[in-house]
Every structure is written in C-alpha cells, then in structure tokens.
Amino acid sequence: MPGSHGALCTNSFYPETELNITEIQEYEKQILIRMKSISKDCRCPKCGCITDKYHGTYIRKVQDLPILGKRAQLEICSHEYECINDGCEVTTFAETFDGFLNTYSRMTERCADFICTLAMESSCEGCARICKALGIKISGDTVIRLLLRKYEVLPGPEVGDVIGVDDFAYKKRHTYGTIIVNEENHEPIALLDGRNGDTLRDWLRNNKHIKVVTRDRASAYAKVISEELPDAMQVADRFHLHQNLLEAIKKALNHEVPATVNIPHAEQSAVIEETCKKKSNLMWITLLFFQKNGIK
C-alpha cells in the first residue's frame, strides 16, 4: 500500500509452490538470488508421464529481468528426475517451474519474452545492445536463436480456401522467395524459397482443400497450380489487372499519338481538332476508370 514501509516479499515474484528463496546478495552491478527447489514431482517433457523419482540435484544459473538497473542472477538448486515410463527414450531430465523456467533454459521465460518483444520492435543486434545497457547479458546471435525457438512453438497459421501467391526479393536480382497469404484475413501463411514453383508444389500437396488462388502473371505459378489443384480457380490479382489495363492504354495511346507533333497550317486545323477531340474523350474515359477503381 502507498506509504507502507514494510519489507518487500520477494517470494511473490517467483513460483512459491516450487521455489524457496534462501539468500539474496546485492553487489554494485548485480543482485544474486539463491533458491532451492521444493517440488515433489515433475512431468516428463517427452512422454508426459509424471514422475517423483529423484535422480540428483545441480545448480542452475539463469538470468532474470533486471532489478532497479542491476543484473538479476538466479542460482537455483534444482532436481533432476528419472522417467518411470520404460518405453520413453528419455532417462533423466531437468525439472521445469510452472512456465517460469523451462528445461535447460539459461533465462526465465519472462526475460525471454521481453527480449523477443524488444527484438521485434528494433533488431537483433540493436536488442542485444539495449539489453546490455539494461543489465541483460545476451548476444545478437542468441536473440536470433531465441526468436526461432519461440516461432517453432507457435501454432500453425490458419490456411483458408482462398490464398494469394506472389514472389518477393530478399536481394533484388539475386535471391527471391514466394509468399503465401490468407486472402480472408490478409495475413501471411508461409514463406518459401525460390520463385520457380518447386517449393510451391510441395506446399500445395499438403493443402489440397484450397479452392481459389490469386496470383500474378508468372507462368511457373500457373503451371504448378494447374497440376496440383486442377479444380481450383485461378484469379489474376488486382494489381496485375490494373497493370494489364495500363499497358493496353499505353499501347493505344502510342498508336494514336504520333512520336512527333507538327504545328498545323490553317487548312489542317479542322482535321487536327477532330483528332484531338477523340483523344480527349479517350483520356477522360481512362481518368474516370481510375477514379472509380481508386487508382492514383
């Protein structure tokens, strides 16, 4: 409560049913918190069997979020358990602490979540520099591995009946990829290597339920979709429809407007005026079409 001068209960910041704080030491740049596990059993991460058979204890050194600008280091005397399932390939494993600390992790889950959030808003190397200033010891490569590990445990994206396929450049004129988007919510589903259609073919084989595919004018995508999803409807996306229209208008104007324009004499003015009127009508029709379709 505001104005209260009672001691802060640090146990409330950690799983009280599984960890007990035994000692807290404060240094100039670090706060060391020693803990002891008081758990009685643990679930095997491989087979899910709950076991209470101890194998031994060992000291786990992990990082936590900084405390008042000082690095927080945890030393946990934790247990190792033996799996009692004879059919499980795991013999011994380290205990976890209710989502607070995972097996063999070198930092708490809340610390890892903070680093991932910071990396998504900045960059991996920038995140590492900021963490160093805050008192979290981590490198840019470790941030990348942490992001990949978080990504692997995420649930797979929903794949609807309507998807969009297009290519993009990792490095222009050098390395390309293929992106697949759910057209219902406009969220990316998958990133594939290359744009020749080989990786797209493998992906479509596992998603035979797709009914509509919007794509660009690339013949490689059209061929693969026709072979793997013969009953699916292929639709040219809006961008390429507009691009087709612009090319058609450009060809029509190039055909009607000469490369050089001569200043007419008086006797040619009536003919030129009629020609200009036709071209003006064509331009107005084109402008109205752009306004109707929101093209700028």
Side-chain angles (χ1 to χ4, degrees):
M1 295 178 62
S4 173
H5 298 281
L8 179 65
C9 181
T10 55
N11 282 312
S12 61
F13 295 98
Y14 303 96
E16 296 182 79
T17 59
E18 298 178 326
L19 289 173
N20 185 27
I21 297 177
T22 58
E23 185 181 6
I24 298 177
Q25 294 183 348
E26 183 177 358
Y27 301 95
E28 182 180 355
K29 296 182 179 180
Q30 175 179 295
I31 296 178
L32 176 62
I33 304 176
R34 290 189 172 92
M35 301 179 177
K36 182 179 181 181
S37 172
I38 55 176
S39 64
K40 302 298 182 181
D41 52 39
C42 189
R43 185 182 299 275
C44 176
K46 188 68 176 180
C47 66
C49 181
I50 297 178
T51 177
D52 57 357
K53 187 176 181 181
Y54 289 117
H55 177 74
T57 59
Y58 71 106
I59 301 297
R60 294 185 65 177
K61 296 182 179 181
V62 296
Q63 291 189 95
D64 199 3
L65 289 174
I67 301 175
L68 298 177
K70 293 186 177 182
R71 180 185 177 192
Q73 180 77 22
L74 309 182
E75 286 190 3
I76 304 174
C77 181
S78 60
H79 299 129
E80 275 189 318
Y81 287 91
E82 294 183 13
C83 185
I84 59 176
N85 182 8
D86 295 333
C88 182
E89 61 185 31
V90 174
T91 54
T92 62
F93 57 90
E95 64 179 330
T96 58
F97 299 100
D98 193 25
F100 173 74
L101 182 63
N102 288 335
T103 308
Y104 304 122
S105 178
R106 295 298 183 93
M107 65 180 62
T108 61
E109 285 302 296
R110 61 190 178 195
C111 183
D113 291 340
F114 169 78
I115 292 172
C116 290
T117 302
L118 183 60
M120 293 297 291
E121 295 297 331
S122 55
S123 66
C124 292
E125 291 296 335
C127 172
R129 291 192 293 269
I130 296 173
C131 287
K132 183 179 179 181
L134 293 175
I136 302 175
K137 187 178 180 180
I138 194 170
S139 66
D141 292 338
T142 304
V143 175
I144 294 176
R145 289 193 295 268
L146 192 59
L147 288 172
L148 291 174
R149 192 181 70 187
K150 291 287 185 181
Y151 172 77
E152 290 172 355
V153 300
L154 289 175
E158 180 182 354
V159 182
D161 297 337
V162 184
I163 63 169
V165 179
D166 203 353
D167 64 320
F168 68 96
Y170 289 106
K171 185 179 181 181
K172 194 173 182 179
R173 291 188 292 272
H174 288 83
T175 309
Y176 290 87
T178 298
I179 183 171
I180 302 176
V181 179
N182 188 339
E183 291 290 359
E184 295 180 358
N185 53 21
H186 304 288
E187 293 184 356
I189 299 174
L191 295 177
L192 309 177
D193 293 330
R195 59 175 180 176
N196 58 3
D198 293 338
T199 53
L200 177 62
R201 184 188 303 275
D202 296 334
W203 189 88
L204 291 176
R205 287 173 181 171
N206 298 323
N207 295 275
K208 292 290 187 179
H209 65 283
I210 295 173
K211 298 179 180 179
V212 181
V213 181
T214 64
R215 59 171 179 81
D216 60 9
R217 298 173 294 175
S219 58
Y221 291 153
K223 181 181 178 181
V224 169
I225 296 170
S226 299
E227 292 175 354
E228 296 298 328
L229 302 175
D231 297 329
M233 179 187 297
Q234 299 188 42
V235 181
D237 56 44
R238 186 183 304 171
F239 170 80
H240 290 93
L241 284 176
H242 291 166
Q243 195 173 30
N244 290 344
L245 175 63
L246 290 174
E247 289 182 1
I249 295 173
K250 183 178 179 181
K251 290 179 180 179
L253 292 176
N254 289 339
H255 180 72
E256 294 292 334
V257 180
T260 58
V261 179
N262 298 322
I263 299 176
H265 295 291
E267 60 272 13
Q268 297 176 331
S269 59
V271 178
I272 297 299
E273 183 179 355
E274 184 66 23
T275 304
C276 291
K277 186 181 296 185
K278 292 180 180 180
K279 295 175 182 177
S280 177
N281 291 336
L282 178 61
M283 294 297 295
W284 274 108
I285 293 173
T286 304
L287 180 60
L288 289 173
F289 177 84
F290 284 176
Q291 291 178 347
K292 185 178 180 181
N293 290 270
I295 305 175
K296 296 182 179 180

